[in-house]
Every structure is written in C-alpha cells, then in structure tokens.
Amino acid sequence: MSGPRPAFVVGAGLTPFGDRAPRTTLDLMADAAEAALADAHLSRGDVDGLLVGYSTTFPHLMLSTAFAEHFGLAPRYGHGIQLGGATGLAMVAAARHLVAAGASDTVLVVAGENRRTGASVDTVLSTLAQVGDPVHEVPNGANVPAYYALLAARYLHDHGLSERDLAGLAVLMRAHAARYPGAHFHEPVTVADVMASRPIATPLKRLDCCPISDGAAAIVVSAEPAAVPVRIAGTGQGHTHQSLSHAPDDVARGARLSAASAFEEAGVTSDDVGLAGVYDSFTVTLAMLLEATGLSRAGRAPVDVSDGRYAADGRVPLNLHGGLLGYGHPGVAGGMAHAVEVFRQMAGRSPLGSLAPADVALIHADGGVLSSHVSVVLKRDP
Amino acid sequence: MNTTPPPTTGGIPEPGKLTITTCRTCGLSSQLTRGFCPGCGGRDLVRDGVAATGTVVAATVVHRAAGEGPLGPPPFALVLVALDRPFANRLMAVAPRPLAIGTPVHVGPLGAAAAAPYLAIPEPDGDPAPSAS
C-alpha cells in the first residue's frame, strides 16, 4: 500500500484518581502502563516507542529513560513531551506520526503524577501560575484559576450568560463521574451546590474548578489494529499565544485551527461526531472548547448541556468518565483520561458498557490559558 | 530591590508611568523590553514613559492565591486592560476595588521594581452602568 501507515489505539490504562499516597509518579505510571499493555494483549518487549508526559512532583531531566528503567522497557525511540494540559493528546498525535512514518510499530504513551499528595496546594498553584507571563502577569498575584476567571468573566459578558449557566457543566461532569469506577468524586452535585460553593476567582467557584488529584493514564498506539479497529484518523494543533495578555481577540482561535485540521485530515465535520472527550479544567474551559471545536454554536454550550446534548444518551456523549471536574486532574494524565474513555467506548471496553457506540469521536485538550491545543479524531473502521 | 513605597493619593497608590517600547520598523508597541521587536524582529526601538489609559476588558476578584496580592491578602481585584493606543498585547493589573468590564482606567507599574505588578485605577466617574453579569 502507498502513503503513511495507519495507526490504531489498541489499549488503554487508567488508575483511580484522588488520594493515592504513597504511590509516586513512577509507581502510578507503572500501574497505568501495565493496565494498558494488558488491555492491548501486549508485553513489555512489544513496546518499541515510549512517550512520557512531565510530572511537576518529579521533574526529571530524562523521565522517559527513568521510566523505561523503572518499568523494564528498552525502546528504540523515546522521550518526554511538555505542553501543559495538551501534553497527553500531543503524545497520542506524536505516537501516530511515529507509527505512520515507520519509526515505531508499538508506542506506549504514559503519564502519571502524585500531584495531590506529593505537593501542597500553594506549591501547585505557584508552579502552574508560571504558564502565565512571569514578569508581567505572575507578579500581580495571578494564578491559573485567575487566568480562567478572566476568560470566564469575558465569556459570560459577551454571551449574556450567568454563573448559573456554567454551573450546569459541572453538574454534568459530576453526574458522569458518579457512575465511573475510580473517579476522584463519586457524589453528584446540583446547580445549587455549585452556586453555593466558595469563590475561587469570580465568577469561578470551587465546583467550577477541577480538583488536584494523584493518578496516571496510558495509551498504546500500534500499526496493528485490535479486534475492533479504532484508528487515529486525524490530528491537529493550534498555538496562538502563551500568556493571556498576548491572546488574540478571538481567544479560542487555537482550538478552531486545531479542530479544523483534525476534521479535515479525517474527512469528517463536527456534525459527524457522536462521542467527545473535551478538556474541562474549569467549566468555562469546557464551554469555550465545545464551541470553538464546533460541537456547540457560539454561546450555546450551556444550553446544549441543559438540553441533554452531551448526556450519556444524548447526541454527543461527553466525558463519560466525568472529565477533570469529576474524574479528577493529576496533570498530564488528566488530559489523557478523556482519550481513554473515548477509546474504551469505541472498542466496547468501557466499565459503563457501550453507552455511545459512535464511529467518529473528537478528543480535544488545551494547555496554558487556551494557549496550545491538540485535537484527535478517532474513527472506528468497519 | 527598590523599596521606595509607591506614591499615594488619599491612601490609594498611584501607578507610575508605563515604559513603552515602539519598533521604528513596523510600529508595534508593547511594554516588553526584549531588545528586539516581537512583531518583526527589528532592533531599531524607541522607549518612552507615558501616562497610559485604557479600558477593562475582563475582571475577576481572586479569593484563592498562594500568597498575598500586591495590595494585600486575598480577596483582591485583578483586571485585563486594553490600552487606548495601538498595542501588541493587553496588561494584567491589580485594582484597588472590583471593576466592571468597560471601566476606563489609567494603568502603570506599581513601584519601580524590575518585575513590578501593574495597577489599574478607575477614572473618576468612569464606572459604566452595572452589567447583568
């Protein structure tokens, strides 16, 4: 055959998220990697490519090699990747490119971190704040919730929406998490609960914000399809700025560019998507990304949520594992968990059963402050 | 480190002049001091201290922070300001009280330190009508 080789997701592993002490970064990565290889019916010796995401609690110079030694791998290709919340999907896309180019046959993508129990909340806030401008933004006392609060204030202002509208997105994620084994949060919440939760940075309240979790995720990408072929049909990226001060007027333009590239390569449109995993670090992140990727119209994500479009039995089931807001957020693995559950649904391997038997799915994540975006379109081939 | 307290008016500090770098090649202006223009790479730059004014384009009140804000412990007001002049980017600044989107402000550094925070002060009688959000 001519052209690049197709690449398939053939296995996934996801640890429970939450308080996982005394598990370390490497412990958690090993747990997820072992589960993913078992899911793919592969052994360590089958892995010839290794991509790992960073860990803020274990900032190693050579994390891929450190993990290979720890877990017992000798890959022909390996390195780490750093792209904030978009790291996981950047690794999945890169794994696809490696397989397509013939550089690897079987790539293990893995990330984990004990961010909840391995660091204080103040340390995490200070570390993550550095995605902003260290000279012109951070000295103002700003942090990641504050950056997204500024986005949220503008989003609500532009679309004539209220905090209550955003609250519905948290309610949906917590409802999904309540049914998913291993989620950080098992209790559903109501709009009233979200509205009554303590302010973090107005208009965002505690339940508009994801938790800080421990956890890990792993995905195996291979040239050989599994029994149900789930192919990486398209990938895209967009990088418009690093700090919010330098964002374009159309602040989510990177997501538009990224999704458009992935859809074009896959030969589909947003209308074809029957299942989605979209990054949801905050309720406003999810709303803006649903709209920028074309799954909802501008300013319509909250009403689409309340109309049931993104429910498990809706037109586009979304983040069925509960997303970052419900399943939890240990860093890179948090952004990979969306991909894990999308793959599981398409492959018929979800602990929920096959709720969303879609043939086309979109996964999207952003890093920074809507700074860097990666989109992946998965197709289940007949 | 410069420890000179910023000037104050009736207890509220006043922002200093904003140092603006303008590229003589492409005309791009910003507060950045990089020795080159981030727009075109040009090195023919002119710096000028101005009394900068602008409009609040996004606003929050930070309740959870890893430490104190420049004006004191949380909660504190944080805004994003679009300047009233051609400018490459917006300025993030603290404010002495919560400000609504659309509020006209004057903005500049708070103190003379190399990485000083920015301070936005609403213009007298400048608050727009309260917004629904």
Side-chain angles (χ1 to χ4, degrees), chain A residues 121-123 125-126 133-143 145-147 149-151 153-154 156-157 161-163 198-203 244-250, chain B residues 30-34 56-70 76 78-80 88-94 101-102 114-119 131-133:
Chain A
V121 174
D122 278 4
T123 297
L125 277 174
S126 298
D133 189 307
V135 175
H136 300 286
E137 293 184 347
V138 176
N140 296 301
N143 52 37
Y147 303 142
L150 290 167
L151 287 176
R154 188 72 210 189
L156 297 180
H157 176 86
L161 297 171
S162 71
E163 295 181 35
R198 65 186 164 88
I200 298 295
T202 60
L244 179 56
S245 302
H246 289 81
D249 288 341
D250 175 10
Chain B
S30 80
Q31 88 283 19
L32 307 173
T33 52
R34 287 179 185 160
V56 171
V57 295
T60 181
V61 175
V62 178
H63 288 257
R64 180 69 176 91
E68 291 206 353
F76 56 86
L78 185 73
V79 296
L80 207 54
N89 52 275
R90 299 170 187 83
L91 284 186
M92 194 174 288
V94 293
I101 290 172
Y118 295 98
L119 175 65
S131 109
S133 63

Side-chain angles (χ1 to χ4, degrees), chain A residues 236-253:
Chain A
Q237 297 195 9
H239 310 273
T240 52
H241 60 280
Q242 176 63 49
S243 57
L244 179 56
S245 302
H246 289 81
D249 288 341
D250 175 10
V251 65
R253 184 160 62 89

Side-chain angles (χ1 to χ4, degrees), chain A residues 24-379:
Chain A
T24 65
T25 288
L26 290 176
D27 291 336
L28 292 162
M29 290 172 74
D31 292 345
E34 193 164 283
L37 289 178
D39 189 44
H41 304 292
L42 295 172
S43 63
R44 284 166 168 77
D46 296 316
V47 175
D48 64 354
L50 174 64
L51 297 174
V52 308
Y54 63 90
S55 163
T56 66
T57 59
F58 187 53
H60 197 283
L61 296 182
M62 302 167 61
L63 187 55
S64 59
T65 316
F67 177 72
E69 178 180 280
H70 176 85
F71 189 60
L73 299 174
R76 290 189 293 129
Y77 184 99
H79 55 75
I81 291 184
Q82 285 179 297
L83 199 65
T87 304
L89 293 191
M91 292 195 292
V92 170
R96 178 275 179 105
H97 300 327
L98 288 170
V99 168
S104 296
D105 293 326
T106 303
V107 182
L108 174 64
V109 172
V110 59
E113 182 169 345
N114 57 336
R115 187 174 285 186
R116 182 173 188 83
T117 59
S120 72
V121 174
D122 278 4
T123 297
V124 172
L125 277 174
S126 298
T127 300
L128 301 187
Q130 300 300 322
V131 300
D133 189 307
V135 175
H136 300 286
E137 293 184 347
V138 176
N140 296 301
N143 52 37
V144 166
Y147 303 142
Y148 277 88
L150 290 167
L151 287 176
R154 188 72 210 189
Y155 172 82
L156 297 180
H157 176 86
D158 286 346
H159 298 293
L161 297 171
S162 71
E163 295 181 35
R164 182 170 287 271
D165 294 313
L166 285 180
L169 280 70
V171 171
L172 179 68
M173 292 302 98
R174 291 291 293 266
H176 288 174
R179 291 185 309 195
Y180 208 86
H184 188 136
F185 291 126
H186 296 289
E187 311 78 24
V189 298
T190 65
V191 168
D193 292 332
V194 180
M195 296 301 290
S197 61
R198 65 186 164 88
I200 298 295
T202 60
L204 300 177
K205 297 162 294 298
R206 177 64 197 88
L207 295 183
D208 288 294
C209 309
C210 64
I212 300 167
S213 314
D214 301 335
I219 288 173
V220 183
V221 176
S222 173
E224 292 294 324
V228 179
V230 178
R231 184 166 55 89
I232 301 174
T235 68
Q237 297 195 9
H239 310 273
T240 52
H241 60 280
Q242 176 63 49
S243 57
L244 179 56
S245 302
H246 289 81
D249 288 341
D250 175 10
V251 65
R253 184 160 62 89
R256 287 179 227 293
L257 299 170
S258 174
S261 295
F263 286 140
E264 182 181 2
E265 185 179 21
V268 300
T269 72
S270 59
D271 291 338
D272 298 314
V273 173
L275 175 66
V278 177
Y279 201 75
D280 58 319
S281 49
F282 302 92
T283 48
V284 68
T285 321
L286 183 56
M288 294 182 77
L289 293 179
L290 286 171
E291 294 168 19
T293 55
L295 296 180
S296 280
R297 296 162 70 105
R300 298 283 297 175
V303 72
D304 284 346
V305 167
S306 61
D307 287 349
R309 174 175 171 82
Y310 296 116
D313 60 353
R315 168 73 180 80
V316 187
L318 171 71
N319 299 353
L320 291 174
H321 65 304
L324 301 164
L325 290 165
Y327 195 84
H329 195 358
V332 176
M336 289 177 65
H338 304 70
V340 169
E341 175 54 16
V342 164
F343 161 70
R344 286 172 168 177
Q345 283 292 331
M346 297 183 91
R349 302 183 198 176
S350 171
L352 300 171
S354 292
L355 296 183
D359 290 328
V360 176
L362 174 71
I363 319 166
H364 183 95
D366 89 287
V369 192
L370 300 185
S371 315
S372 280
H373 298 262
V374 181
S375 308
V376 173
V377 172
L378 295 183
K379 268 187 176 176

Side-chain angles (χ1 to χ4, degrees), chain B residues 54-57 81 97-105 121-123 126-128:
Chain B
T55 304
V56 171
V57 295
V81 176
R97 58 182 171 83
L99 300 178
I101 290 172
T103 303
V105 294
I121 298 291
E123 301 290 12
D127 272 328

